Amino acid sequence: MAIFAKRKRNVPGFRVTLSVTLFYLLLMVIIPLSGLIFKTSELTWTQLAHTLSTPRVLAACRLSVGAALAAAGVNAIFGTLLAWVLVRYKFPGRSLVDALIDLPVALPTAVAGIALTAVYSENGVIGRLVEPLGWQLAFTPVGIFIALVFVGLPFLVRTVQPVLTDLEKGLEEAAHTLGASAWQNFRYVALPQLLPAILTGSALAFGRAVGEYGSVIFIAGNVPLVSEIAPLLIISKLEQYDYSGATAIALFLLGISILVLGLINFLQTRLQRYRQNLV
Amino acid sequence: MQDKAVTAKYSLAMKDSQRMSLARLHKWVPALLLGIALIYFALVLVLPLVTVLAEAFAKGVPYYFSTLLESEALKAMQLTLLMSLLVVPLNAGFGVAAAWLLGKFRFPGRGLIITLIDLPFSVSPVVAGLVFVLLFGAQGFFGPWLQSHDIKIIFALPGIWLSSLFVTLPFVARELLPLLESQGTDQEESAIMLGASGWQTFRFISLPQMKWALIHGVILCNARVMGEFGAVSVVSGHIRGQTNTLPLLVEILYNEYQFTAAFAAASVLALLALVTLVIKRIAVRHNHG
Amino acid sequence: MKISLRNITKAFAKTPVLRGVSCDIDQGEFVTLLGPSGCGKTTLLRILAGLENPDQGSVLFDGFDAGQWTIQERRVGFVFQHYALFPHLSVYDNVAFGLRMRSRQQRVAESLVKKRVTELLQLVQLGEFTDRFPQQLSGGQKQRVAVARALAIEPRVLLLDEPFGALDVHVRQELRGELRKLQQQLGITCLLVTHDQDEALAMSDRIMLLNQGLIEQIGSPDHIYDNPSSIFAMNYLGAVNRLPAHLLKPEKLGTEEQIFVRAHDLELFPAVSESQQAQIQTIVPRGGFMQLDLLALGTLFSGPLRAEIPRDRWESLGLDRGHLVSWKIKAYKDFQPRTQNEPSFA
């Protein structure tokens, strides 16, 4: 506490904001999460391992993580492309497109869920197109993947856009005068500078997608071992009063969240450092 | 002899025909990229949005309005609104305090506080709901005590309130922090030197400059509160007419195959989302102006 | 009102920044805090303002220990390097800010506020700009607003932290003159931090030269220039040549002693065989005088020399790069070795 007392602070409000922040965080974050930890302590390692290794749980976790990874990957490519197009090109309706990028963040997940189902089910606009080919999109893992693409898109575009905007035009012009083609320019000059942002955006999208519930629950088949996502399994276990089981899976998801959070913080410090160099 | 070979190897000169066809290709590249990007955009974002509205009005306009005016729907809207009023001001107040603390001061433990604030944002909403069930549910930590005092948190409004508070906690703080960090402390020091008290400095100098970032954070927080589904789903018990928020109502109607009604309710939320985006656009423009 | 600094000592994270600074400043004086970066001058200014607390020592206003007061009670005017104008307030509201904040406790009528603000803006020649906003002003104009704003609260002393650093040369010189005139007109005590010796020489009643947290020398510009108390002081205010002492005092031959000659104290004349000679290496025209780098070629001394001679003298010599020229020492200083911590006052 001495450190907090000695420093002279001319900006007002240190003690007030510190107390308010700590109090609120204690009440709203630390205590609730410790409820989880508390429940965890009731589990033994063997119980935990047992729950997590049942086929159904394994399948659900694998599906959640796998679909999230795939969706993040697709968004990494097309999200970057969208960001590129929004920053570099002028076209009619650009403002509108830019504003709508945030739709998945502003739209309630349940609304997104039923809307996506309507589009990709057999009678839906897209579903109808691929039905003759024998493909089924809704109610399969593919449907889950599509929903997670929807959910993750803004994270990539919004993380890459500012970096792209700040890119020194001069570097690409210099490369151009030195004889680089447009592709080489992108590949060797722009892309390396964008990479931290793309990775951060992908990490954010992945983190969000792994635990996503509302957008996915309608379009997923929810068939155990095939198209059941981890969050749904948690709810199922809760309804059966299997609190330990639910907690075990929750811990797995929480662990992934913390890992991703750590990764993002690491990438963002690198991103910060890089952006400062650009200026 | 060797010179010629070397020159040939490193020569950047292209044959004229090669150069011309490449140039033609180059002209089309931007258009191609634009096309692909816009198709992706339309497929992923626009299509679902349009579908909500199309399905909502599938049975005609009168049906649309009669669905929304049913008591269940009205109660759901009321509850959603109530939650918003109870959550957003609290998280906004916290957000200002936390962003101020983290943006204007340096102290040991600062990084930890930032991580704690980010945590609700990165946790699955179902896990968020579970956490409160583990705390206040019948078999939870406080379960027995609550039961003996006949207080209901889970499967009742307080539970919805608390889980919404948890899930939207970071929004305002995250919006304000970069702004406060980049502003530095010169202006506050200046105001203090001119004789303003701490509170006057905050009220007349700092707060006005936070205005648009604050608005931005508040509407994002609001959108998330009104649309929260996963956490509330776990905590509410889906008791019709009592603990159903609008998103939960959408789910119930959908699961009962009342598709049009479900989409009608969803359209209200979609409209809210669009309004959020518009306000966000205005706020962002003011921030940069 | 007299300001006294008594043994101000301050360290940041184990690095000492000020190591016991003491001096007295009289009402109406214009004192410049001059020194290289890291010498502690900005820290000293901030301690005076109350923005930092000294680890040891005290600041006295007319004998009262200002450490007992809050920053607001000190009533010190501060002009920041980057102005720190409030971007959401107009020029008028910026200048009125200090008066309005006080009025909550001391009820200054709005009409009085208006009178004072208008007066001040006239004083800094911005009378027409009352409704503009900071983003619409040039650097020089912003600086004037910052000064007017600081003066509005009738401060005991006006402190300026490198106020002209971000401005271009002409604006800087113009504002320098105006600030000095204003200060004399109002009779207000003024402390200005700068690393630019020309600025210090042009504006000050006294210069406080700081080096590594201690006062190297304090005195009027003329005094420090003509009677520097140390090599550092001499070097800081102008280019100095270090030459062996035996050039002028043959008895010193064999010793390591040096004498110090200012660049303009070297006299140049057409080469004659019996004198010290040097070859002209570089010629830099600097307005009214020429700055020359020479290479001395002599038995008594050989090495680089820096000379500054008036332009008309140079033209009458009619020389160019590579030519030989004879040189002579017009005046010099020698310094007795002295202990590190001895400041000198004048």
Side-chain angles (χ1 to χ4, degrees):
Chain A
M1 268 297 143
I3 320 170
F4 293 98
K6 216 200 264 182
R7 261 272 207 91
K8 182 184 174 101
R9 298 176 199 275
N10 306 312
V11 181
F14 180 69
R15 270 185 290 181
V16 173
T17 54
L18 184 67
S19 336
V20 168
T21 304
L22 286 180
F23 177 70
Y24 203 80
L25 281 178
L26 184 71
L27 228 52
M28 289 310 306
V29 178
I30 299 178
I31 292 183
L33 284 180
S34 54
L36 188 64
I37 311 276
F38 176 71
K39 193 71 197 171
T40 307
S41 63
E42 289 183 6
L43 293 172
T44 61
W45 280 113
T46 41
Q47 262 187 308
L48 191 67
H50 184 250
T51 311
L52 286 178
S53 56
T54 54
R56 192 173 171 195
V57 174
L58 273 177
C61 292
R62 210 178 313 155
L63 180 61
S64 280
V65 173
L69 266 175
V74 166
N75 270 326
I77 300 173
F78 287 96
T80 307
L81 178 63
L82 252 174
W84 183 272
V85 156
L86 282 170
V87 174
R88 290 287 169 100
Y89 302 151
K90 284 194 173 22
F91 54 92
R94 184 174 78 154
S95 251
L96 185 64
V97 173
D98 193 41
L100 278 178
I101 296 284
D102 288 316
L103 187 67
V105 175
L107 195 65
T109 52
V111 175
I114 62 174
L116 286 166
T117 314
V119 170
Y120 291 97
S121 67
E122 288 173 331
N123 302 322
V125 177
I126 304 287
R128 216 177 307 174
L129 289 175
V130 297
E131 205 227 331
L133 297 169
W135 292 353
Q136 200 193 0
L137 295 175
F139 313 121
T140 65
V142 180
I144 298 176
F145 162 76
I146 294 174
L148 294 182
V149 167
F150 174 86
V151 161
L153 181 62
F155 293 101
L156 257 129
V157 178
R158 290 307 186 215
T159 318
V160 173
Q161 247 182 324
V163 181
L164 202 48
T165 319
D166 285 350
L167 270 190
E168 239 184 278
K169 237 6 203 342
L171 291 176
E172 283 168 70
E173 283 171 356
H176 192 69
T177 60
L178 291 167
S181 71
W183 167 249
Q184 285 173 322
N185 221 328
F186 174 74
R187 168 83 174 77
Y188 296 108
V189 180
L191 193 58
Q193 295 177 65
L194 293 176
L195 215 48
I198 298 179
L199 285 175
T200 306
S202 305
L204 281 167
F206 173 77
R208 177 67 194 266
V210 151
E212 182 58 32
Y213 179 71
S215 319
V216 180
I217 204 65
F218 298 94
I219 199 175
N222 302 330
V223 175
L225 291 175
V226 176
S227 52
E228 186 181 41
I229 53 169
L232 178 60
L233 194 49
I234 294 182
I235 293 189
S236 301
K237 290 207 178 279
L238 265 182
E239 283 171 357
Q240 293 162 21
Y241 298 101
D242 179 8
Y243 283 80
S244 316
T247 308
I249 307 177
L251 271 172
F252 171 73
L253 287 180
L254 187 63
I256 295 191
S257 296
I258 294 181
L259 269 172
V260 171
L261 198 59
L263 178 66
I264 291 171
N265 277 337
F266 169 71
L267 283 173
Q268 281 196 333
T269 33
R270 278 201 66 198
L271 188 64
Q272 273 272 44
R273 218 177 295 150
Y274 200 79
R275 286 191 74 186
Q276 275 168 5
N277 286 341
L278 281 179
V279 166
Chain B
M1 273 296 132
Q2 272 198 323
D3 289 335
K4 245 203 200 155
V6 167
T7 331
K9 187 177 173 191
Y10 288 107
S11 169
L12 294 170
M14 278 188 286
K15 292 203 215 95
D16 271 346
S17 56
Q18 267 188 319
R19 198 183 302 137
M20 274 183 55
S21 52
L22 253 173
R24 225 178 293 139
L25 188 64
H26 273 198
K27 240 199 313 172
W28 286 106
V29 165
L32 188 66
L33 288 179
L34 188 60
I36 298 177
L38 288 181
I39 291 176
Y40 186 76
F41 170 76
L43 207 63
V44 176
L45 291 182
V46 178
L47 206 48
L49 182 63
V50 167
T51 307
V52 172
L53 295 170
E55 293 286 337
F57 287 99
K59 287 206 182 133
V61 178
Y63 183 83
Y64 177 81
F65 282 107
S66 69
T67 316
L68 290 180
L69 291 173
E70 252 181 77
S71 76
E72 261 173 21
L74 287 176
K75 281 251 175 67
M77 281 189 248
Q78 259 179 7
L79 184 57
T80 300
L81 213 59
L82 180 66
M83 282 303 117
S84 174
L85 284 171
L86 289 178
V87 168
V88 174
L90 280 173
N91 277 337
F94 165 74
V96 172
W100 187 264
L101 176 73
L102 297 167
K104 303 275 178 187
F105 306 108
R106 289 283 173 278
F107 55 94
R110 182 175 174 268
L112 180 62
I113 294 186
I114 294 182
T115 308
L116 281 175
I117 294 180
D118 272 341
L119 217 47
F121 192 72
S122 48
V123 153
S124 166
V126 169
V127 172
L130 174 69
V131 154
F132 284 99
V133 171
L134 287 178
L135 214 50
F136 299 117
Q139 296 188 14
F141 190 68
F142 291 110
W145 185 88
L146 289 169
Q147 271 194 328
S148 61
H149 286 76
D150 202 28
I151 303 177
K152 287 195 94 186
I153 296 192
I154 305 298
F155 302 153
L157 260 59
I160 299 180
W161 175 59
L162 282 174
S163 53
S164 298
L165 211 55
F166 177 85
V167 165
T168 57
L169 187 123
F171 280 84
V172 177
R174 281 173 62 112
E175 261 329 293
L176 285 175
L177 185 55
L179 179 70
L180 291 182
E181 259 179 336
S182 65
Q183 273 177 352
T185 54
D186 268 3
Q187 295 209 14
E188 279 82 16
E189 283 185 349
S190 196
I192 299 251
M193 297 242 54
L194 290 168
S197 71
W199 176 245
Q200 284 175 324
T201 304
F202 178 74
R203 187 171 154 214
F204 294 110
I205 301 301
S206 317
L207 201 56
Q209 293 182 55
M210 284 198 270
K211 193 170 56 166
W212 285 106
L214 189 56
I215 291 178
H216 191 185
V218 162
I219 55 161
L220 278 181
C221 184
N222 181 56
R224 184 68 197 266
V225 172
M226 289 194 171
E228 178 49 39
F229 181 67
V232 176
S233 186
V234 171
V235 149
S236 81
H238 295 206
I239 304 175
R240 303 182 80 118
Q242 277 183 25
T243 61
N244 265 339
T245 58
L246 206 49
L248 290 177
L249 184 66
V250 169
E251 184 195 22
I252 289 186
L253 289 172
Y254 192 84
N255 286 338
E256 291 178 351
Y257 298 97
Q258 293 193 46
F259 291 132
T260 315
F263 276 103
S267 68
V268 174
L269 290 167
L271 189 63
L272 176 71
L274 288 176
V275 170
T276 304
L277 289 179
V278 167
I279 301 182
K280 177 182 171 156
R281 192 108 191 115
I282 302 176
V284 165
R285 201 175 300 146
H286 271 266
N287 234 353
H288 286 205
Chain C
M1 187 206 60
K2 191 161 110 156
I3 305 175
S4 302
L5 298 170
R6 293 270 168 271
N7 195 33
I8 304 287
T9 311
K10 178 83 182 169
F12 284 121
K14 301 233 168 111
T15 318
V17 173
L18 291 169
R19 300 191 281 155
V21 170
S22 304
C23 82
D24 291 323
I25 299 168
D26 288 322
Q27 171 70 40
E29 267 203 283
F30 194 116
V31 177
T32 305
L33 302 178
L34 181 67
S37 25
C39 70
K41 53 193 195 292
T42 297
T43 308
L44 188 60
L45 200 75
R46 286 174 68 93
I47 288 179
L48 253 170
L51 291 171
E52 309 276 354
N53 280 336
D55 296 333
Q56 283 172 48
S58 49
V59 175
L60 304 171
F61 289 158
D62 269 340
F64 290 110
D65 183 1
Q68 312 283 353
W69 297 338
T70 63
I71 296 184
Q72 292 90 332
E73 282 169 341
R74 281 199 195 212
R75 234 176 66 233
V76 164
F78 201 100
V79 177
F80 289 80
Q81 186 171 7
H82 297 290
Y83 329 124
L85 295 181
F86 306 132
H88 60 294
L89 297 178
S90 68
V91 164
Y92 182 93
D93 290 326
N94 260 282
V95 178
F97 185 77
L99 294 168
R100 287 197 179 129
M101 290 302 111
R102 271 198 296 155
S103 69
R104 311 272 157 175
Q105 300 147 20
Q106 293 172 304
R107 288 296 129 194
V108 172
E110 193 60 28
S111 55
L112 270 169
V113 170
K114 179 160 182 172
K115 183 160 168 287
R116 182 133 181 88
V117 172
T118 330
E119 248 171 37
L120 281 165
L121 284 176
Q122 297 281 13
L123 214 55
V124 296
Q125 292 155 31
L126 285 180
E128 308 292 300
F129 288 75
T130 49
D131 292 326
R132 300 260 184 106
F133 281 80
Q135 300 89 303
Q136 300 167 300
L137 303 176
S138 71
Q141 289 166 338
K142 281 193 238 193
Q143 200 50 282
R144 291 172 208 250
V145 177
V147 171
R149 183 176 70 171
L151 289 174
I153 58 170
E154 286 173 41
R156 292 193 165 92
V157 57
L158 186 62
L159 306 178
L160 304 108
D161 185 6
E162 306 212 39
F164 307 128
L167 304 170
D168 70 51
V169 173
H170 289 126
V171 180
R172 214 184 297 169
Q173 289 181 341
E174 194 187 322
L175 283 183
R176 251 188 239 167
E178 284 177 21
L179 180 65
R180 182 58 163 146
K181 257 199 317 196
L182 189 64
Q183 182 261 343
Q184 284 169 326
Q185 196 178 336
L186 296 174
I188 188 172
T189 317
C190 208
L191 263 91
L192 180 136
V193 161
T194 183
H195 59 268
D196 180 350
Q197 66 266 31
D198 290 333
E199 200 156 272
L201 290 170
M203 296 178 83
S204 336
D205 289 322
R206 276 199 292 167
I207 299 178
M208 190 191 305
L209 185 61
L210 286 158
N211 185 23
Q212 290 179 4
L214 289 170
I215 298 184
E216 187 78 21
Q217 188 172 5
I218 180 167
S220 73
D222 279 339
H223 183 91
I224 301 190
Y225 196 80
D226 294 332
N227 304 291
S229 62
S230 67
I231 302 165
F232 175 84
M234 187 174 191
N235 215 348
Y236 205 84
L237 292 180
V240 169
N241 292 297
R242 291 176 176 232
L243 301 174
H246 59 81
L247 275 175
L248 289 180
K249 304 180 189 174
E251 70 273 16
K252 300 279 185 181
L253 189 60
T255 68
E256 296 282 310
E257 274 183 44
Q258 290 183 316
I259 55 173
F260 301 87
V261 183
R262 280 239 153 81
H264 62 78
D265 282 334
L266 276 182
E267 191 177 326
L268 302 180
F269 46 96
V272 293
S273 51
E274 294 304 318
S275 64
Q276 293 289 324
Q277 293 194 347
Q279 189 187 44
I280 301 175
Q281 309 279 74
T282 331
I283 307 164
V284 179
R286 299 270 303 265
F289 67 92
M290 306 299 284
Q291 176 186 301
L292 305 166
D293 285 319
L294 310 161
L295 185 62
L297 318 151
T299 48
L300 286 180
F301 170 73
S302 60
L305 286 175
R306 167 66 68 86
E308 287 168 9
I309 65 171
R311 188 180 270 269
D312 47 5
R313 172 84 184 129
W314 170 251
E315 274 158 22
S316 71
L317 283 173
L319 296 169
D320 203 348
R321 275 180 49 202
H323 290 182
L324 285 176
V325 73
S326 286
W327 59 278
K328 203 165 79 167
I329 298 172
K330 277 196 291 192
Y332 72 95
K333 289 252 170 308
D334 58 7
F335 295 103
Q336 301 309 322
R338 79 185 160 87
T339 52
Q340 270 268 322
N341 295 340
E342 250 176 52
S344 85
F345 293 91

